[in-house]
Amino acid sequence: MGNINLDTDFYENEDPIWNPALLTIPVPGIRRMVNLAADMDDVIHLSIGQPDFKPPDHVIQAGVDALKAGQTGYTMDAGLPELLEALAEYYSKRYGRPLSPENLMITTGATEAIYLALTATSAPGREFIIPDPSFMLYGPLIRMNGGTVKSIATRPENNHQLDPQEVIDAMGPNTFAVVLNSPSNPTGTIYPRETIEAIVEEAAYRGIHVISDEVYDHLIYDGREYPSVLSCCSDLDHVMVVSSFSKTFSMAGMRVGWMIGSQGAIKKLRRYHMFTTTVANTPCQWAGVAALRGSNQFIDSMVEEYQQRRDRLVELVEQTPHLTGYRPEGAFYLFPSLPEGVDSANVALKMLRETGVCTISGDTFGEAGKSALRISYSTSLEQIEEAFERIIPWMKKQNFS
């Protein structure tokens, strides 16, 4: 490979062979840190955004049974009929609104669903409102297709809650959609029902779409009720909701997600889906059926464990000089602030090299995160404790003035 830098050359090379739209895709901060950590010994990862639990045994067995039964061909483009039916029943019961299989499409993870939703709707002259910080996928996909992004900054002193009035005030004649992510990656913030309802109602009135990324919709703590966009909208005409099995059943590598929307939107996106990944993994779709038909014991146990980790992490951040935290309500992330003006990318890199603890710099997720770190607690409590045994004394030595 010579001296090619795989982290930068593909993204920043202006060779005419590449579509110039690729220049809108930044070098992923998560990938950069994980790649650097891969060449080091004794690294503790507070960086990875995937569960450390094994999927339920009956889910694994369903996938194995499907393989043994020869269920390895293509499904229909919308997805395995049994999975579509199971999802429609599951969401209808959970949110008390009737859904049919025609309201759903199975995708290769939630990532493909987000890709389809944003690239199929983004175009020159269309503006998308996005919280800042937010998951790094949204902005580049919009810009690749000529759309523009209007960011609404959230503030650590407000636990990164989204102010619905700020979102409404930002709506204009060119606004096509609002992108929501609750619980949020990277902040773990859950938007309350009144926030979701205010945004959804105003968007519907103005003919603006709401695209809601709800992949962490089961990782909810302190006995809270989860306010999905599905439970806050009168109809699905301007709503698209994305989720997957990745976080809920620890099936991240099995790559099964879905899109929920109006039957008209799903019909259009099915055609687009056929020209991207065609269908999702067939045996793993059968595993998904088993996940939905089984009990919630796995989810309940996982949430209980995450809540214990969350509580301990909040305590440890409070004990750490130069870090200011809060109490996230969902997902498995905390986004503590560094002193104002401190470059989190430099801090994360230096901390990795000097302590062997890998975190993700906040600028990966937007301008508002330049002085923050994303810490994932999707690792064991023992690993979290050991990480802060390194971080706290290291932070005591830092002078950020």
Side-chain angles (χ1 to χ4, degrees), residues 201-249:
E201 288 175 8
E202 185 67 22
Y205 174 74
R206 298 182 184 225
I208 293 170
H209 289 71
V210 175
I211 300 171
S212 185
D213 178 353
E214 301 186 1
V215 296
Y216 297 95
D217 61 349
H218 286 75
L219 303 188
I220 311 298
Y221 310 128
D222 306 317
R224 293 173 59 101
E225 178 187 349
Y226 176 64
S228 168
V229 164
L230 290 171
S231 63
C232 297
C233 62
S234 57
D235 57 54
L236 299 177
D237 287 347
H238 292 88
V239 167
M240 288 184 274
V241 175
V242 170
S243 195
S244 79
F245 291 116
S246 295
K247 319 301 180 183
T248 306
F249 289 97

Side-chain angles (χ1 to χ4, degrees), residues 1-19 22-23 25-28 31-32:
M1 298 296 290
N3 294 320
I4 292 176
N5 183 337
L6 294 178
D7 278 335
T8 59
D9 286 10
F10 177 79
Y11 296 94
E12 298 177 0
N13 191 332
E14 296 186 15
D15 189 308
I17 191 174
W18 303 116
N19 185 333
L22 288 177
L23 297 175
I25 304 176
V27 179
R31 174 185 164 185
R32 184 191 301 119

Side-chain angles (χ1 to χ4, degrees), residues 294-354:
S295 75
N296 285 334
Q297 183 178 353
F298 173 82
I299 300 173
D300 294 343
S301 298
M302 183 171 61
V303 167
E304 182 179 356
E305 174 65 24
Y306 279 141
Q307 184 168 314
Q308 291 176 3
R309 296 178 188 179
R310 187 273 315 260
D311 292 346
R312 182 55 179 151
L313 178 59
V314 168
E315 293 175 350
L316 290 167
V317 167
E318 288 177 352
Q319 298 168 21
T320 304
H322 308 302
L323 283 185
T324 303
Y326 55 94
R327 191 177 183 83
E329 303 99 336
F332 39 59
Y333 305 110
L334 181 63
F335 203 64
S337 301
L338 291 157
E340 186 175 355
V342 172
D343 187 333
S344 63
N346 290 338
V347 173
L349 182 59
K350 186 179 180 185
M351 187 164 67
L352 172 61
R353 288 173 172 166
E354 296 182 5

Side-chain angles (χ1 to χ4, degrees), residues 85-393:
E85 186 67 41
L87 281 166
E89 291 177 4
Y90 183 83
Y91 277 101
S92 296
K93 181 178 180 181
R94 188 177 189 201
Y95 296 124
R97 67 174 308 140
L99 291 173
S100 73
E102 288 73 29
N103 292 121
L104 286 133
M105 176 181 65
I106 309 301
T107 58
T108 302
T111 299
E112 191 209 354
I114 294 167
Y115 173 87
L116 295 174
L118 293 178
T119 61
T121 57
S122 179
R126 289 183 173 182
E127 181 181 82
F128 291 69
I129 296 173
I130 297 180
D132 182 5
S134 65
F135 185 46
M136 60 186 183
L137 194 64
Y138 312 139
L141 289 178
I142 292 164
R143 295 185 183 103
M144 280 180 68
N145 290 271
T148 59
V149 172
K150 180 178 283 188
S151 298
I152 304 296
T154 62
R155 301 166 184 83
E157 61 268 25
N158 295 329
N159 290 6
H160 289 286
Q161 282 293 337
L162 188 63
D163 185 334
Q165 193 58 52
E166 285 190 46
V167 175
I168 292 169
D169 291 344
M171 294 177 180
N174 295 325
T175 304
F176 179 81
V178 179
V179 180
L180 300 176
N181 177 212
S182 173
S184 165
N185 176 6
T187 66
T189 303
I190 296 176
Y191 304 144
R193 178 171 297 277
E194 53 267 31
T195 293
I196 301 292
E197 287 179 342
I199 293 171
V200 168
E201 288 175 8
E202 185 67 22
Y205 174 74
R206 298 182 184 225
I208 293 170
H209 289 71
V210 175
I211 300 171
S212 185
D213 178 353
E214 301 186 1
V215 296
Y216 297 95
D217 61 349
H218 286 75
L219 303 188
I220 311 298
Y221 310 128
D222 306 317
R224 293 173 59 101
E225 178 187 349
Y226 176 64
S228 168
V229 164
L230 290 171
S231 63
C232 297
C233 62
S234 57
D235 57 54
L236 299 177
D237 287 347
H238 292 88
V239 167
M240 288 184 274
V241 175
V242 170
S243 195
S244 79
F245 291 116
S246 295
K247 319 301 180 183
T248 306
F249 289 97
S250 197
M251 294 167 60
M254 299 171 82
R255 311 310 301 137
V256 180
W258 52 87
M259 167 80 72
I260 303 173
S262 68
Q263 292 186 20
I266 294 299
K267 284 181 180 178
K268 288 183 172 65
L269 289 174
R270 280 176 60 180
R271 185 165 54 188
Y272 189 16
H273 169 62
M274 289 171 64
F275 284 85
T276 52
T277 64
T278 307
V279 297
N281 183 304
T282 299
C284 292
Q285 289 190 62
W286 282 108
V289 174
L292 293 170
R293 299 294 193 209
S295 75
N296 285 334
Q297 183 178 353
F298 173 82
I299 300 173
D300 294 343
S301 298
M302 183 171 61
V303 167
E304 182 179 356
E305 174 65 24
Y306 279 141
Q307 184 168 314
Q308 291 176 3
R309 296 178 188 179
R310 187 273 315 260
D311 292 346
R312 182 55 179 151
L313 178 59
V314 168
E315 293 175 350
L316 290 167
V317 167
E318 288 177 352
Q319 298 168 21
T320 304
H322 308 302
L323 283 185
T324 303
Y326 55 94
R327 191 177 183 83
E329 303 99 336
F332 39 59
Y333 305 110
L334 181 63
F335 203 64
S337 301
L338 291 157
E340 186 175 355
V342 172
D343 187 333
S344 63
N346 290 338
V347 173
L349 182 59
K350 186 179 180 185
M351 187 164 67
L352 172 61
R353 288 173 172 166
E354 296 182 5
T355 72
V357 177
C358 187
T359 59
I360 304 299
S361 61
D363 62 346
T364 301
F365 307 95
E367 289 291 317
K370 280 191 170 182
S371 295
L373 297 171
R374 192 192 76 172
I375 297 175
S376 169
Y377 50 95
S378 63
T379 188
S380 69
L381 195 55
E382 291 74 19
Q383 287 280 282
I384 294 169
E385 296 278 4
E386 184 177 346
F388 275 83
E389 287 176 6
R390 304 179 189 184
I391 291 173
I392 291 174

